[in-house]
Amino acid sequence: ELKLRPNDPTIRNRRAHAHFITGHFAEAAADFGDVVAKTPEYDLAKLLRYIARARSGDYDMGELKRNTDALDRNGWPWPMVAVYLGQMTRDEMLAATKDMRLEDDFRDCGVSFYLGQYLMVKRKPQEALPYLKQAAEVCRGDGEFERDAARSELKRHQASR
């Protein structure tokens, strides 16, 4: 399908998600870069691009900062982005997201998955695993990608032991 419509950001986004889930982070980063450029309203793609780049060895915080400068500071995913940027602690982020109303109870899913990924980026897989396990269990609906990515991460971790 991508060969027929290479510039379709929806298809590109699906491929970015598929690359991320399978642990092909450099490829995911390239596709998320395209998604960010073509659909700037998709805020999570900005964070996912950074995570994918960092997981493939490229820790460009400058790009994450530039891409997220205009994010609504009172909405999701800003508090999680702020953790990645070092502008909020985990506890401050949890307090900031406590009362956020997100579809499909995405708050617990998003917090678990993106904290797990934050710890993977920081090369702390043992600390990340409980968060990823929780994401694998609680994510549903809009959190289908996060659930599948967490499950794959856990499988890769099991296989590498």
Side-chain angles (χ1 to χ4, degrees), residues 4 14 24 40 44 47-49 80 82 91 96 113 118 125-126 128-129 145:
L4 298 174
R14 286 206 311 257
H24 298 117
L44 266 179
L47 181 55
L48 284 165
R49 172 159 166 82
M80 187 57 69
D91 290 340
F113 179 75
Y118 172 76
Q126 293 308 333
L129 289 175
F145 157 70

Side-chain angles (χ1 to χ4, degrees), residues 105-114 135 138-140 143 146:
D105 299 325
F106 187 77
R107 182 189 163 277
D108 291 343
C109 167
V111 166
S112 300
F113 179 75
Y114 292 101
V138 302
C139 292
R140 59 190 173 81
E146 287 82 0

Side-chain angles (χ1 to χ4, degrees), residues 41-52:
E41 67 279 4
Y42 179 33
D43 293 332
L44 266 179
K46 298 164 185 170
L47 181 55
L48 284 165
R49 172 159 166 82
Y50 171 74
I51 295 168

Side-chain angles (χ1 to χ4, degrees), residues 4 12 39 52 60 64-65 68 77 79 97 103 105 120 132 134-135 145 148 152:
L4 298 174
R12 199 67 182 249
T39 51
D60 184 0
L64 179 62
K65 187 165 177 12
T68 58
T97 60
E103 285 183 42
D105 299 325
M120 293 301 284
L132 295 171
Q134 183 175 355
F145 157 70
D148 293 349
S152 291

Side-chain angles (χ1 to χ4, degrees), residues 121-153:
V121 165
K122 295 285 184 192
R123 295 194 175 101
K124 297 179 177 177
Q126 293 308 333
E127 289 178 47
L129 289 175
Y131 291 107
L132 295 171
K133 281 180 182 148
Q134 183 175 355
E137 290 168 17
V138 302
C139 292
R140 59 190 173 81
D142 281 350
E144 191 177 336
F145 157 70
E146 287 82 0
R147 180 197 63 210
D148 293 349
R151 287 177 179 172
S152 291
E153 193 78 61

Side-chain angles (χ1 to χ4, degrees), residues 17-52:
H17 282 119
H19 283 313
F20 195 103
I21 288 167
T22 55
H24 298 117
F25 296 113
E27 294 89 342
D31 280 342
F32 278 127
D34 192 56
V35 172
V36 167
K38 292 191 172 104
T39 51
E41 67 279 4
Y42 179 33
D43 293 332
L44 266 179
K46 298 164 185 170
L47 181 55
L48 284 165
R49 172 159 166 82
Y50 171 74
I51 295 168

